[in-house]
Amino acid sequence: MCGQILRWLLGSAVVLVLSQCSGENRDSEDPPVAPLGRTLLASTPIQASERNPNLLFNFEVDDSLAADVDVVSLHEDFFGVPWEAFSQSKTAPDYFAVLIQELKQRVNRWDRPLYLSLAISHNENRRYLAEHLFEDDEGKLVRQARWTDPCFNFDTHPDGEKWRRAYLNYSEYMIRTFKPRYLTNGIEVTMFQNSCRSFDPGAFPALIKVLNQVYDLAKEIDPQIVVFPSLQVGYMMDIRPGGVCYRDTGLDLEVAKTCMRFAWEEMASLKMDRVGLSIYPHVVGGIPDNSAYLAAALDVVKDRQLVIAETGHPSSSLLVNGGPAGEAQCLTAVEHSDDQQVEWLKAVLQAAKDHNMELVTWWSARDVFPEDFIGSCPCEDSRSFCETAEIFRLQGGDFTQRVQNDAILRAFQSMGYRTYDGLPKESLGIWRDFRK
């Protein structure tokens, strides 16, 4: 059961990105391919935060990052959005500006082009708007989840115009601050599409209008920015347990491709400069061949210029704790290994070569948590992460929710081609050879 629980919840973390043609212009020619004449490699410097536990994750100083990547990926899905503040002004509130300016200093230190990803939705298969970030009366940062109605409809909700304005102001601030070469104007929007299709058929078309406004805004600021939303393959294929295209007998790729084509046609009006795929095969059940799964996704959009906006594979098995407070009921939810990580990286890089992809983003450069945390249940570590993990885990009352919470926290913990402390894994050699 835990394996299915895990696959269901991890679907919410899978990312994609799509195409070079605005929806109205999908037959037009794509812009030129990689500026360096080859596939550019990017990674995110995200790790569990020791300095600011309220944020849970942070973009840490990684001196090895500039040597490992052509592009730095800032996946801004962890700080939340100061919705209320940006609904009233284009100026960032002080508490947010401090975070962002510190991050900008680090970006400048790496001296690499930037790929910036912004999240418009989050939580529970991204059916809610991104977490609301604000400062409470005691000066503490608060990230409020599920603060809006599910499947928020910007066209019909009384606050639709307010939060549309807020997201546009937030996006403008982030674009002007970081001046990215690549921009994802909405992370994993296909999850919102899939989760809200039956709940409110008008919610996703309304979301597309906002994303298109951000697209136009980015082009006004800098016409050279390459802009695309992030689309999650598993949700386009709807192959999660319980999904329309899920089969208990295993993955039927032809059925899944039909679902993906349907999702693709639903976003015909969505403006995008690339088709970017974010794809994590380990979070989907019943896949006998990861390479075949990747090939099936690519086949649907093979006539477009592609990037991999986000991908990765764990190198360590996923241990989760479903016990009550103060007790451990430890389960090995999914077996993973260094060999599996290496094989998936090879498959992705080969696909990049075969399809002349401009960009491949591996999430993340280093493991998110240290090795003693990753390999322990009950939790043991020397850096205070266990207390944070326990608080996060116990936000769910029953066994299923506790397992889900623990797995969400740990889902991407060992995807780095380096350990938390920067030591190389076997996959780093594959990564470096490809860059050569």
Side-chain angles (χ1 to χ4, degrees), residues 3-15 232-243 245-247 250-253 256 278-290 293-294 297 312-314 334-336 344 412 415:
Q4 286 200 350
I5 291 172
L6 183 62
R7 293 181 189 113
W8 174 84
L9 76 91
L10 288 185
S12 69
V14 182
V15 182
Q232 201 259 54
V233 170
Y235 274 71
M236 290 182 77
M237 289 188 170
D238 203 13
I239 51 180
R240 302 157 299 124
C245 293
Y246 178 77
R247 299 291 182 270
L251 180 63
D252 186 327
L253 286 176
S278 171
I279 181 168
Y280 296 94
H282 70 282
V283 304
V284 181
I287 296 181
D289 184 342
N290 287 347
Y293 174 58
L294 174 60
H313 198 289
V334 186
E335 299 278 357
H336 296 304
W344 177 244
F412 287 48
M415 283 193 183

Side-chain angles (χ1 to χ4, degrees), residues 74-245:
L74 292 184
H75 189 81
E76 223 309 76
D77 201 13
F78 307 107
F79 289 176
V81 176
W83 289 94
E84 184 63 42
F86 275 119
S87 73
Q88 302 174 33
S89 173
K90 291 186 177 184
T91 302
D94 290 344
Y95 60 84
F96 188 66
V98 168
L99 292 174
I100 297 304
Q101 291 303 320
E102 180 184 1
L103 182 54
K104 183 181 178 181
Q105 290 178 3
R106 295 177 187 173
V107 170
N108 292 340
R109 178 178 177 178
W110 289 312
D111 192 26
R112 287 289 183 272
L114 182 67
Y115 168 30
L116 176 66
S117 295
L118 305 178
I120 193 170
S121 60
H122 197 60
N123 304 108
E124 293 183 32
N125 306 329
R126 295 197 183 274
R127 69 179 66 226
Y128 295 90
L129 294 186
E131 291 181 332
H132 188 186
L133 181 71
F134 60 93
E135 194 174 52
D136 66 14
D137 294 338
E138 298 178 353
K140 178 181 177 181
L141 286 181
V142 177
R143 291 181 303 134
Q144 183 181 4
R146 298 179 293 279
W147 59 279
T148 58
D149 296 334
C151 300
F152 187 87
N153 190 320
F154 284 94
D155 283 347
T156 61
H157 196 280
D159 290 328
E161 183 55 37
K162 178 180 181 179
W163 302 136
R164 180 199 310 270
R165 181 173 62 251
Y167 194 68
L168 288 172
N169 288 344
Y170 161 76
S171 299
E172 180 173 355
Y173 172 79
M174 297 295 281
I175 294 167
R176 292 190 184 279
T177 298
F178 289 107
K179 300 177 176 59
R181 174 182 293 183
Y182 300 96
L183 172 70
T184 281
N185 51 344
I187 296 171
E188 296 178 331
V189 296
T190 49
M191 296 176 66
F192 184 96
Q193 174 194 30
N194 185 288
S195 300
C196 298
R197 184 181 285 121
S198 59
F199 185 89
D200 181 353
F204 186 59
L207 188 80
I208 286 177
K209 293 179 183 178
V210 179
L211 296 174
N212 286 349
Q213 287 182 299
V214 177
Y215 177 97
D216 293 339
L217 173 65
K219 295 296 186 178
E220 290 176 7
I221 295 172
D222 181 359
Q224 299 304 312
I225 297 177
V226 179
V227 186
F228 46 82
S230 133
L231 314 172
Q232 201 259 54
V233 170
Y235 274 71
M236 290 182 77
M237 289 188 170
D238 203 13
I239 51 180
R240 302 157 299 124
V244 173
C245 293

Side-chain angles (χ1 to χ4, degrees), residues 257-296:
K257 284 164 64 175
T258 299
C259 282
M260 188 172 176
R261 289 189 185 98
F262 175 73
W264 175 241
E265 290 305 314
E266 278 192 332
M267 60 184 79
S269 63
L270 183 55
K271 296 181 180 181
M272 54 186 79
D273 288 336
R274 300 288 186 272
V275 174
L277 303 178
S278 171
I279 181 168
Y280 296 94
H282 70 282
V283 304
V284 181
I287 296 181
D289 184 342
N290 287 347
S291 296
Y293 174 58
L294 174 60

